[in-house]
Amino acid sequence: MSDAKVTPRALLPLFLISLAAVALETGLTRFFAVASWSEYGYWVISIAMTGFAVSGVVMVLGRDALLKRASWLLPALPLALMGTGAAGWVGVTLNPFNPLELQNGVTWQEQAWNILLYYAALFPFFFLTGFAVSLYFVRYAQAIGRVYGWDLLGAGAGAVATIALLHLLHPFDLVPALLPVLAIAALLTPAARPALLRGATLLVLLASEALVLLAAAPRVSEYKPVSIARNVPESRVLAEVLSPRGVYQLLENFTERLDTDISNNLGLLGLPPPARSYGLYRDGVRIAALPMEALAAPYARATLAAGPYALLDHPRVLLIGASGGFRVAEALALDARSVVVQEPEPMLRRILIDGIGPVPPLPLDPRVTLSDTHPLRAPGERFDLIDYAGDILDAEEQSRHLYAAEAIADELARLTPGGVLSLPVNIRELPVYAIRVLASVREALRLSGVADPAAHVVVLRSAWNLRALVSPVPWDAARVAALHRFAEERSFDISFAPHLDAVAPDRTVWNELPPVTLESETQAAGDDAIAQEAPGVLGGTPAEDAFDRSPVTEDRPWLAPLVRLSALPLALARVEVLPQAEIGTLVNVAVLAQAALLALLVALLPALRRGGIGAPAGLVLRALPYFAALGLGFLMIEIALIEQAAFLLEDRATGFALVLTAMLVFSGFGSMMAGRFEARPRGALLVAGGVILLWCGLALVGLRDLVGATLDWPWIARAALVLAITAPAGIALGLPFPLGLERFARRAPRLLPWAWALNGAFSVVSTPLANLLARTEGLSALLVAALLCYVTAMLVFPRNDAQ
């Protein structure tokens, strides 16, 4: 082992390198969200972990030669990172990737090449970052815990720094702000010729900044809605707000209109269309219309959402989502007695209170109450109508939790006996999304003790949208007849209702909706796909094909993906009919396949390298499952926590950054404690493993309930709760890796870089695998899988140095 002196000054450059790397990694995920689509941001994590894994392989192959040159490699690496980071950023911004062309049989090959170009652009930076970390491991092998701790603490600081900078800088401006951190790392690294290092650092920093500022061309994809809106003549950005959760822009142009489902018979009903509006965009995607004129809704009676109002006399209404205030005006125009508004999107809530640019706050009205209560925790009173906004899923990703069966059951419990819950679903792309919502409604009614769920559901739709109207009491013929009259006057369709055949035996289908399947390239027969499937799914016998029709639950709160993993060959053959959300899943599978191949190659490295890696075969056979299990388990726990934190904090970006920071910082503290257990590492591992297993068990039993019970806490209290939940797991998770490195390295120091490579390679696998596992099996499956990983690690850890 190296006898180089380990001091905080010696490890501070490592801290700064890790800070810059994680800040760049986090910033790149925001870049993809703004420039392209957020689901492609996880590539950055895959590329980063691939670079770390390959760096370990290189260190295995050239450990002795590289260690001899560490005195000049360590100060040179931050300079190389500045250059590769700047060049990688330029390459990313110039890449013409268009994910929409992945759905075209002619153009997808070019886009696959563009994906490889992303890897080519970013791999050098993350490879050199991993190389720097592994070189510090080898050079200061006598203090592995402290080295790993400084690495993790720097990474945690990088996540915090990114969130802070995103309040001040556009994501396109982050890289120039991060390059000086690497320059400081270079200047703090001990060097034989300090003056030469200072001159080289200044020269490389200036060259890198010039490259970034002059050659990079970050842009929003021309296929994103904001690009189309900005290209309209005389389009103007009236306001812009920067925040970690997104870049918000208020646009004015003559094309901006309220996107609500209005009858084609508007003129026959003698009603005017909605007035012009402003458009509010987040990360280039339109999330709401905001009123340009005095807020009014004379068109309200012609909307699909007006259906329940035809049955209710001056209802007490709970609006979940205000659609920029338009839904409030619509409810009042439809004779609501009182309206309570819960707006789940934080910026839209702020606009209702304070306004933005030329848009004033929501007008004061004694009938309207803007509630601070979380949408999943309604005020104590009961309501005649609980009405979800049609754009609620577009406006706020975390609103998907509102469609979980458990959440729907809670909403039903807040209705008066004759009340109605109105759930909107967009059916423009795939009607089967609506079928999955109906499956969730059925499960909610079952949870509520209803024996015949089909008797409590009416499905009202237009050509593009659907409303599932759910009642706590069975629908009678009179109410169904009233809804039928409402639909006929507006050329809407009732796809399912009890007593419908008796009420309207000769009804006309006004809006044809043929089913979409993957099994056949020809369009299936039928003029109403929902009418064909609703009886089966509400009766508990859904159709069986390539699409998943299982209910959305709190454990699996996603409407997508719909394509079953077993049907991936069909999906690839019919990729042109799938919406973008499903394409992201297919790409995730491709990333997983690439990651699995890399992990296999790293795992076989001792066998492939002539002469092995200088370690006994028995030790290698223990190290392989040990470090692979740690790479898989750590990220599975992290991703499960990120999902819960995003829900609790109502913001994925902040939830991601807070959990990442907490996991890294607390794991860093745990890692620094590893040196205290040199005499009894197995005992320390068993204690840490026991804490991890206990934490996973408690999380499985009570984490979701704890999150649900604290949704109304002040934001700072919820953030503190995230830290409190993460701390014990994080400290315990920080111990196994350095404990394993120290124990295995005693017998075979050459195992160190291979162990680092193994951990990185299986972390590459863990990211796409955890995403697929969560979306197909549920978040609980992640915790169970992580628990099994750490049980495996404890079982294979050597009992003594001789093993």
Side-chain angles (χ1 to χ4, degrees):
M1 290 190 182
S2 170
D3 58 359
K5 189 175 181 181
V6 184
T7 64
R9 172 66 184 270
L11 297 179
L12 187 55
L14 173 63
F15 174 92
L16 293 173
I17 289 172
S18 296
L19 186 157
V22 170
L24 180 61
E25 181 181 344
T26 308
L28 283 168
T29 62
R30 288 293 304 127
F31 164 79
F32 274 99
V34 175
S36 182
W37 278 269
S38 59
E39 57 261 37
Y40 298 101
Y42 65 79
W43 284 343
V44 180
I45 300 173
S46 177
I47 297 169
M49 300 312 298
T50 300
F52 294 167
V54 176
S55 71
V57 173
V58 171
M59 187 61 70
V60 169
L61 299 176
R63 176 184 178 276
D64 292 340
L66 294 169
L67 186 57
K68 289 178 183 178
R69 294 165 175 80
S71 59
W72 67 263
L73 277 174
L74 289 178
L77 278 169
L79 305 183
L81 284 167
M82 276 191 281
T84 55
W89 171 247
V90 171
V92 166
T93 64
L94 296 179
N95 192 319
F97 174 67
N98 175 16
L100 299 180
E101 291 186 3
L102 289 171
Q103 295 174 259
N104 186 299
V106 176
T107 60
W108 73 267
Q109 295 95 335
E110 181 181 348
Q111 297 312 315
W113 176 250
N114 287 334
I115 293 172
L116 291 177
L117 290 179
Y118 279 133
Y119 276 76
L122 295 175
F123 175 82
F125 176 84
F126 290 110
F127 166 78
L128 290 175
T129 299
F131 182 75
V133 176
S134 58
L135 187 57
Y136 272 93
F137 274 139
V138 173
R139 183 172 175 79
Y140 301 109
Q142 74 274 26
I144 289 173
R146 272 187 284 167
V147 174
Y148 190 48
W150 278 87
D151 171 41
L152 292 176
L153 290 174
V160 172
T162 306
I163 291 300
L165 287 172
L166 286 172
H167 283 286
L168 305 172
L169 298 176
H170 192 284
F172 293 174
D173 299 325
L174 277 176
V175 172
L178 295 174
L179 292 177
V181 176
L182 293 168
I184 296 172
L187 295 174
L188 292 177
T189 306
R193 301 174 66 181
L196 178 62
L197 177 61
R198 286 194 294 270
T201 300
L202 179 60
L203 181 63
V204 174
L205 176 61
L206 292 175
S208 299
E209 293 283 12
L211 179 63
V212 166
L213 295 174
L214 298 177
R219 68 196 185 284
V220 177
S221 168
E222 62 269 32
Y223 300 100
K224 293 197 83 169
V226 75
S227 296
I228 299 169
R230 291 295 306 275
N231 285 330
V232 172
E234 299 183 8
S235 179
R236 295 188 300 157
V237 177
L238 301 177
E240 183 175 84
V241 178
L242 301 177
S243 78
R245 67 175 292 111
V247 176
Y248 292 86
Q249 292 179 313
L250 181 69
L251 264 63
E252 177 189 13
N253 64 64
F254 70 86
T255 68
E256 298 292 348
R257 292 289 189 276
L258 174 65
D259 186 16
T260 189
D261 213 330
I262 296 181
S263 167
N264 292 330
N265 302 344
L266 192 69
L268 294 175
L269 294 170
L271 299 174
R276 284 183 58 199
S277 68
Y278 300 114
L280 183 68
Y281 294 75
R282 184 184 63 233
D283 289 345
V285 177
R286 193 173 187 267
I287 64 169
L290 298 180
M292 182 179 288
E293 303 169 359
L295 194 57
Y299 58 86
R301 287 195 300 112
T303 63
L304 186 70
Y309 292 87
L311 309 174
L312 302 169
D313 184 25
H314 298 293
R316 292 180 296 255
V317 178
L318 172 63
L319 291 179
I320 299 182
S323 297
F326 284 102
R327 295 291 288 123
V328 179
E330 290 169 12
L332 295 177
L334 292 167
D335 297 327
R337 180 191 315 172
S338 64
V339 179
V340 175
V341 183
Q342 293 181 319
E343 177 53 70
E345 211 286 336
M347 179 58 68
L348 287 174
R349 187 187 312 149
R350 174 177 149 190
I351 291 170
L352 291 176
I353 297 170
D354 299 324
I356 183 173
V359 180
L362 185 69
L364 295 176
D365 189 302
R367 296 168 293 176
V368 179
T369 302
L370 183 57
S371 173
D372 291 329
T373 308
H374 190 279
L376 286 176
R377 300 183 66 81
E381 63 181 300
R382 288 184 170 243
F383 299 93
D384 303 310
L385 173 61
I386 299 178
D387 190 2
Y388 288 20
D391 58 3
I392 194 167
L393 289 175
D394 296 326
E396 173 52 55
E397 180 195 14
Q398 298 308 317
S399 293
R400 56 188 166 80
H401 290 270
L402 292 164
Y403 284 79
E406 298 89 340
I408 295 172
D410 288 343
E411 302 294 2
L412 290 172
R414 297 177 183 124
L415 289 171
T416 56
V420 178
L421 170 64
S422 180
L423 295 171
V425 191
N426 186 298
I427 53 175
R428 292 172 192 259
E429 295 179 305
L430 279 180
V432 75
Y433 283 119
I435 299 302
R436 195 162 194 183
V437 170
L438 292 181
S440 305
V441 167
R442 181 185 186 277
E443 179 64 13
L445 288 164
R446 191 191 65 79
L447 292 173
S448 302
V450 172
D452 182 14
H456 295 251
V457 182
V458 171
V459 179
L460 179 68
R461 72 170 183 87
S462 67
W464 308 115
N465 295 286
L466 172 150
R467 287 260 170 184
L469 307 181
V470 192
S471 173
V473 298
W475 290 90
D476 57 36
R479 291 205 297 168
V480 172
L483 278 175
H484 179 255
R485 289 192 297 272
F486 169 88
E488 288 291 300
E489 289 175 358
R490 293 156 180 80
S491 297
F492 295 145
D493 292 298
I494 295 182
S495 293
F496 177 84
H499 316 290
L500 187 58
D501 288 338
V503 167
D506 300 320
R507 63 190 180 277
T508 300
V509 175
W510 298 105
N511 306 281
E512 289 192 4
L513 184 67
V516 176
T517 67
L518 296 184
E519 284 78 7
S520 173
E521 293 188 8
T522 60
Q523 185 168 286
D527 53 12
D528 192 336
I530 305 300
Q532 292 179 18
E533 288 211 51
V537 74
L538 290 171
T541 57
E544 293 287 340
D545 60 16
F547 293 127
D548 181 6
R549 292 167 174 80
S550 60
V552 177
T553 65
E554 288 181 349
D555 192 50
R556 193 165 63 121
W558 292 278
L559 279 171
L562 283 171
V563 177
R564 302 179 192 272
L565 292 181
S566 59
L568 285 180
L570 282 175
L572 290 172
R574 300 290 317 284
V575 69
E576 72 280 356
V577 306
L578 296 176
Q580 185 183 318
E582 305 296 326
I583 303 303
T585 302
L586 298 181
V587 174
N588 195 60
V589 172
V591 171
L592 176 59
Q594 165 249 306
L597 178 61
L598 172 66
L600 178 63
L601 292 174
V602 173
L604 293 176
L605 186 62
L608 297 175
R609 184 172 184 259
R610 181 176 297 178
I613 58 171
L619 203 64
V620 169
L621 291 177
R622 285 183 175 272
L624 174 56
Y626 183 83
F627 291 106
L630 297 187
L632 291 170
F634 188 99
L635 274 175
M636 286 183 174
I637 290 175
E638 182 176 87
I639 289 173
L641 269 175
I642 286 170
E643 290 299 332
Q644 295 294 346
F647 177 40
L648 181 60
L649 300 176
E650 305 175 84
D651 178 7
R652 170 164 291 278
T654 304
F656 173 86
L658 190 59
V659 169
L660 181 63
T661 300
M663 289 283 282
L664 293 172
V665 170
F666 288 120
S667 295
F669 290 149
S671 179
M672 289 183 172
M673 295 165 56
R676 303 178 184 180
F677 305 108
E678 291 183 0
R680 51 188 191 284
R682 181 169 177 79
L685 175 67
L686 291 176
V687 171
V691 171
I692 294 168
L693 299 186
L694 177 62
W695 186 93
C696 287
L698 292 174
L700 281 167
V701 173
L703 180 57
R704 199 158 46 243
D705 290 339
L706 176 61
V707 168
T710 55
L711 290 171
D712 279 339
W713 285 13
W715 188 92
I716 191 66
R718 284 178 279 146
L721 178 63
V722 171
L723 296 178
I725 291 170
T726 308
I731 292 172
L733 289 167
L735 282 165
F737 189 65
L739 288 173
L741 288 178
E742 289 176 350
R743 170 55 69 93
F744 285 103
R746 287 183 182 181
R747 286 289 313 279
R750 293 178 182 274
L751 270 177
L752 278 176
W754 183 59
W756 169 252
L758 268 177
N759 187 265
F762 280 88
S763 294
V764 178
V765 171
S766 188
T767 303
L769 178 62
N771 275 307
L772 285 174
L773 192 61
R775 289 174 181 261
T776 56
E777 302 300 324
L779 294 170
S780 295
L782 286 186
L783 295 174
V784 171
L787 188 150
L788 293 175
C789 286
Y790 283 96
V791 168
T792 300
M794 288 190 289
L795 290 176
V796 300
F797 190 78
R799 289 180 172 80
N800 53 62
D801 289 341
Q803 288 185 301

